[in-house]
Amino acid sequence: MPTKKLSLGQLARVEGEGTLELALRDGRVETARLRIFEPPRFFEALLRGRAFSEVPDIVARICGICPVAYQMSSVHALERALGLSVGGELRLLRRLLYCGEWIESHVLHIVMLHAPDFLGYADAVAMARDHGSEVRRGLALKRTGNEILRLLGGREIHPVNVKVGGFYRLPTRAELDALRELLEGARREAVALLRWVARFPMPDYERDYEFVALRHPSEYPMNEGRIVSSSGLSLSPEEFDAEFEERQLPHSTALYCALRRRGSYLVGPLARYNLNFDRLPPYVQSLAEEAGLRSACRNPFQSIVVRAVEVVFACEEAFHLLAAYEPPEGPSIPLSPSPGEGHACTEAPRGMLYHSYRLDRDGTIEKARIVPPTSQNQASIEEDLRLLAESLLGEPEEILCGRCEQAIRNYDPCISCSTHFLRLAIRRS
Amino acid sequence: MPTSPRPRLAVWKFASCDGCQLSFLDCEDELLSLAGEVEIGYFLEASGRTLPGPYDLSLVEGSITTPEDTQRIREVRRLSKRLVTIGACATAGGIQALRNFARIEDFVSSVYASPEYIQTLERSTPIAAHVPVDFELRGCPIHPLQLLEVISAFLAGRSPAIPTYSVCIECKRAGNPCVLVSRGVACLGPVTQAGCGAICPGYARGCYGCYGPMESPNTPSLARAWRALGSSRRDLLRAFRTFNAGAEAFRRESEANAD
């Protein structure tokens, strides 16, 4: 039977360029493809020959929305290659910096990009006409996240203060005190944000994903942990290649990352939450339950609620980290170049981010590998879209397409990272 | 009396990290009031609602790296009364312009198993290499307040007040002790355009040049000062070859230090 091609315009409110193509035949969805045509920028190639000390500044440029994630994965991998470990108060400051990025990135996505789908607006500006106080509250929360980034990083986009071994300069007591006041307000506002999104109408859809996230002995994961999955996987970042592989497909400039033996899996807030619910403080757990979540959540549309839970957590965590902080002796620990190889995973707002580097004797990068969260989720996004579209085939096209776009945004995909605007095209037989 | 329609604004993306567009969304306090002053006609990162051109002002992020984009930028220019490029990618080719100094085949094959699927140009080039540009706003990333100044200036029909002197001026004004003179830290501040607020020296490190060359940069003189501090030619090559590697003055100095 011939197929009819239907173009449904551009999917917006995502970070990047691509299209979604659905091919429908005999009442079934034949294929669902997320075509990514973000122009490749070849970071892994351009890092070769650079000094290890330049890496955190360079990899930040992979993504303007989560530069700290790239900086954190890189410094941890490079420190392992150099045989050193950054602990104590410097480790605390790194976790505080990451809280800033989680707050800024999550609130941007929840309020500016995703909420309009649930409430039926084209964008946050239109939504602000009817939900002005919620949008303003979102912008204020996002500003708090950005203030953390500005203080510890120097600026919110492409921070300048992160280095292998620690920081260039430590924050002063007065600077931290100002932050503490802001965070007190943010803790209340984050709870209000969670209660707001908990009331959104939720599409009824569940899938049995294999969740993959870091797991730390005592903390909700950010910079450290073993890679674990809901199917029993447990490995160190050094063993990443043994279980995961990257594949290139003709329709995408992003590489697909899959589990060698099982295929697609899911990283991100939903995976972190499902695998680490017991690592959330009891106060955050009870707020999550009050918001209608249980310790297990398999509805990807509820990721917006989980993201809000993580905003509550990040504000709490940042507040307590600040209270516990005692200035260390120096802003960084001394190091000297040496040959070696290092691997690290950290939890970017969108999910686990893997980096590995090999250094030569004078600390020059011989080899770099980066596996961003969106390329890990790509196969899962396509499976969601196929199943979802199939369940909605009887609905008008407008509903089908709207729901597909919303489903893509469940992943907060960052296509700049993975290789960037989605356009939706449907071919019908 | 008839009210004049609000000016129509568009934001376009080419090869980039999205950071400069995000600077727009980072104007948290001013965002909603700005949205009242202009009509956002095309800004896919923020909205699915698009309005047809022509646009009174187009902001362009990113560099040109694919055959398709050489055509798309012409279409954007045709639809735009004024076109302003934002950020190091759009004004100098960005970090991805490091390919201009290498063999592109080596770059593609080191990342992709099937290079034949990848369509890319040998060079990453700034927007002005392809179409006339009305103003270039520098930075990696751009500064949100400079962006607001540029938008306000274009809406008012005046030239943007964006200084082209060096980071040193901002650094002195911020009261930082000179990291180069007082601590012997290699710093690109003397040859780099101001705009960031001299953040790096404020954080006890040397400027790494993310706003590109200032109006009259004496890079050979700064290179001699770096050598006197013990920097190697390779250090200089790397320092001038980052986010603004494709900017003329930085390109020349990096080549002067290449082997």
Side-chain angles (χ1 to χ4, degrees):
Chain A
M1 203 182 270
T3 50
K4 194 174 70 180
K5 191 179 173 185
L6 202 64
S7 178
L8 290 155
Q10 285 162 319
L11 179 66
R13 287 184 270 128
V14 297
E15 292 115 18
E17 282 186 26
T19 65
L20 168 64
E21 289 179 354
L22 293 177
L24 313 179
R25 182 186 282 268
D26 301 331
R28 290 187 50 87
V29 180
E30 214 169 34
T31 54
R33 278 180 169 175
L34 185 65
R35 283 193 59 215
I36 290 183
F37 44 83
E38 174 77 13
R41 295 191 290 147
F42 308 108
F43 275 89
E44 289 151 310
L46 63 84
L47 283 164
R48 282 191 318 224
R50 305 299 304 211
F52 75 87
S53 53
E54 296 181 293
V55 174
D57 295 326
I58 293 177
V59 296
R61 269 68 184 184
I62 292 172
C63 179
I65 294 127
C66 54
V68 168
Y70 283 86
Q71 295 189 326
M72 289 296 110
S73 283
S74 70
V75 293
H76 286 90
L78 289 163
E79 285 158 9
R80 269 171 212 147
L82 296 166
L84 92 167
S85 156
V86 173
E89 302 299 314
L90 295 176
R91 178 185 187 278
L92 180 155
L93 288 178
R94 285 180 167 174
R95 191 163 167 86
L96 178 59
L97 178 67
Y98 226 145
C99 286
E101 181 159 285
W102 277 28
I103 298 168
E104 169 270 326
S105 174
H106 274 0
V107 174
L108 170 74
H109 187 260
I110 294 169
V111 181
M112 308 298 285
L113 309 183
H114 211 188
D117 282 337
F118 291 85
L119 299 176
Y121 296 91
D123 53 59
V125 171
M127 187 174 76
R129 280 179 216 123
D130 302 326
H131 301 270
S133 60
E134 285 84 1
V135 172
R136 278 190 294 276
R137 179 180 63 215
L139 290 170
L141 261 171
K142 185 165 131 5
R143 190 174 53 231
T144 302
N146 276 339
E147 285 297 334
I148 299 178
L149 295 169
R150 263 193 285 269
L151 167 58
L152 293 179
R155 62 183 168 197
E156 54 274 56
I157 303 172
H158 307 330
V160 303
N161 196 25
V162 170
K163 69 186 278 194
V164 181
F167 293 90
Y168 288 91
R169 131 162 133 69
L170 293 170
T172 65
R173 178 48 65 191
E175 289 171 331
L176 291 172
D177 286 345
L179 205 52
R180 194 164 169 173
E181 267 170 51
L182 260 179
L183 274 165
E184 269 173 39
R187 290 165 79 196
R188 287 190 301 274
E189 297 301 320
V191 173
L193 173 75
L194 171 60
R195 292 186 172 142
W196 181 56
V197 301
R199 293 199 304 269
F200 287 179
M202 281 297 149
D204 189 20
Y205 173 84
E206 289 207 339
R207 236 186 84 198
D208 194 20
Y209 300 99
E210 179 161 357
F211 294 119
V212 173
L214 293 181
R215 183 155 171 90
H216 182 273
S218 57
E219 298 167 341
Y220 199 73
M222 284 187 172
N223 277 321
E224 289 162 26
R226 286 178 70 76
I227 304 170
V228 301
S229 91
S230 48
S231 302
L233 206 69
S234 174
L235 56 145
S236 71
E238 284 73 26
E239 299 165 310
F240 184 86
D241 276 335
E243 293 289 339
F244 299 88
E245 65 177 334
E246 286 186 293
R247 303 168 184 161
Q248 188 190 0
L249 295 177
H251 67 271
S252 178
T253 54
L255 299 173
Y256 280 66
C257 190
L259 279 159
R260 285 187 189 277
R261 281 177 281 279
R262 294 189 293 281
S264 78
Y265 61 100
L266 187 142
V267 299
L270 209 58
R272 282 194 293 261
Y273 177 88
N274 276 284
L275 294 165
N276 292 284
F277 180 81
D278 58 342
R279 297 289 186 259
L280 287 169
Y283 166 71
V284 181
Q285 286 178 346
S286 60
L287 283 169
E289 278 159 1
E290 186 194 304
L293 297 174
R294 282 179 296 223
S295 60
C297 170
R298 301 191 171 273
N299 181 347
F301 292 94
Q302 283 190 307
S303 63
I304 190 170
V305 186
V306 172
R307 233 169 242 120
V309 169
E310 289 195 335
V311 173
V312 173
F313 166 73
C315 292
E316 284 295 310
E317 183 75 359
F319 184 81
H320 293 295
L321 289 170
L322 267 180
Y325 174 73
E326 296 286 339
E329 266 177 36
S332 64
I333 53 176
L335 48 87
S336 51
S338 64
E341 193 169 314
H343 311 251
C345 287
T346 71
E347 286 287 348
R350 289 156 191 80
M352 196 174 78
L353 169 61
Y354 169 83
H355 283 216
S356 78
Y357 300 94
R358 194 172 72 220
L359 306 177
D360 76 6
R361 276 191 356 219
D362 68 0
T364 299
I365 306 293
E366 281 184 344
K367 190 170 177 237
R369 241 185 96 214
I370 294 169
V371 184
T374 298
S375 70
Q376 302 180 69
N377 279 340
Q378 213 174 178
S380 235
I381 299 176
E382 290 183 344
E383 274 169 42
D384 265 7
L385 291 167
R386 192 173 56 76
L387 293 168
L388 195 67
E390 211 148 272
S391 71
L392 293 168
L393 281 180
E395 302 286 337
E397 226 138 64
E398 206 184 312
I399 299 205
L400 169 67
C401 294
R403 194 50 59 77
C404 284
E405 290 188 18
Q406 186 178 359
I408 291 176
R409 291 189 199 106
N410 287 336
Y411 290 86
D412 186 9
C414 188
I415 301 173
S416 301
C417 290
S418 60
T419 45
H420 214 265
F421 301 122
L422 295 171
R423 202 160 35 216
L424 191 61
I426 294 191
R427 284 186 306 142
R428 260 182 211 278
S429 63
Chain B
M1 210 168 75
T3 53
S4 62
R6 289 180 297 159
R8 193 168 280 190
L9 179 80
V11 183
W12 309 91
K13 176 188 150 67
F14 291 84
S16 66
C17 80
D18 281 43
C20 291
Q21 293 187 58
L22 183 64
S23 297
F24 199 92
L25 298 177
D26 276 346
C27 301
E28 288 106 357
D29 293 332
E30 300 83 2
L31 191 64
L32 291 177
S33 50
L34 182 66
E37 296 294 316
V38 299
E39 186 174 42
I40 296 177
Y42 189 93
F43 185 6
L44 280 185
E45 184 153 325
S47 177
R49 198 180 70 119
T50 60
L51 302 169
Y55 305 100
D56 296 284
L57 175 61
S58 273
L59 302 173
V60 179
E61 173 191 278
S63 71
I64 304 298
T65 62
T66 66
E68 212 180 3
D69 281 351
T70 59
Q71 297 307 315
R72 188 162 62 101
I73 188 59
R74 289 194 171 82
E75 181 63 14
V76 169
R77 177 70 258 192
R78 198 181 61 77
L79 290 170
S80 312
K81 290 183 187 158
R82 298 286 184 164
L83 189 156
V84 172
T85 53
I86 57 171
C89 296
T91 62
I95 186 77
Q96 56 274 19
L98 291 183
R99 74 178 68 183
N100 303 1
F101 306 94
R103 268 170 34 99
I104 189 66
E105 297 83 2
D106 297 344
F107 266 43
V108 179
S109 63
S110 71
V111 179
Y112 295 98
S114 307
E116 65 275 16
Y117 298 151
I118 302 299
Q119 279 238 312
T120 191
L121 296 170
E122 284 179 23
R123 294 165 58 81
S124 167
T125 43
I127 301 302
H130 301 266
V131 295
V133 167
D134 296 291
F135 189 79
E136 294 188 312
L137 183 64
R138 303 272 206 82
C140 185
I142 57 168
H143 195 289
L145 292 179
Q146 287 206 327
L147 177 64
L148 285 176
E149 162 58 19
V150 168
I151 295 173
S152 314
F154 274 88
L155 295 181
R158 59 174 173 84
S159 335
I162 301 292
T164 55
Y165 49 66
S166 77
V167 170
C168 293
I169 310 285
E170 275 185 322
C171 202
K172 295 282 166 295
R173 216 180 275 144
N176 298 325
C178 178
V179 294
L180 197 147
V181 172
S182 68
R183 292 177 42 221
V185 171
C187 179
L188 285 181
V191 297
T192 300
Q193 180 169 306
C196 63
I199 308 170
C200 285
Y203 278 74
R205 67 179 289 192
C207 162
Y208 62 81
C210 69
Y211 276 60
M214 53 89 79
E215 58 194 355
S216 50
N218 189 343
T219 58
S221 162
L222 183 69
R224 282 192 296 277
W226 276 42
R227 292 299 299 271
L229 293 172
S231 296
S232 67
R233 279 163 56 84
R234 186 172 68 162
D235 295 335
L236 281 159
L237 171 67
R238 284 171 170 168
F240 282 102
R241 212 167 265 184
T242 62
F243 316 104
N244 290 281
E248 175 63 15
F250 284 8
R251 183 188 59 74
R252 253 189 293 116
E253 192 56 44
S254 77
E255 281 166 356
N257 288 280
D259 288 322

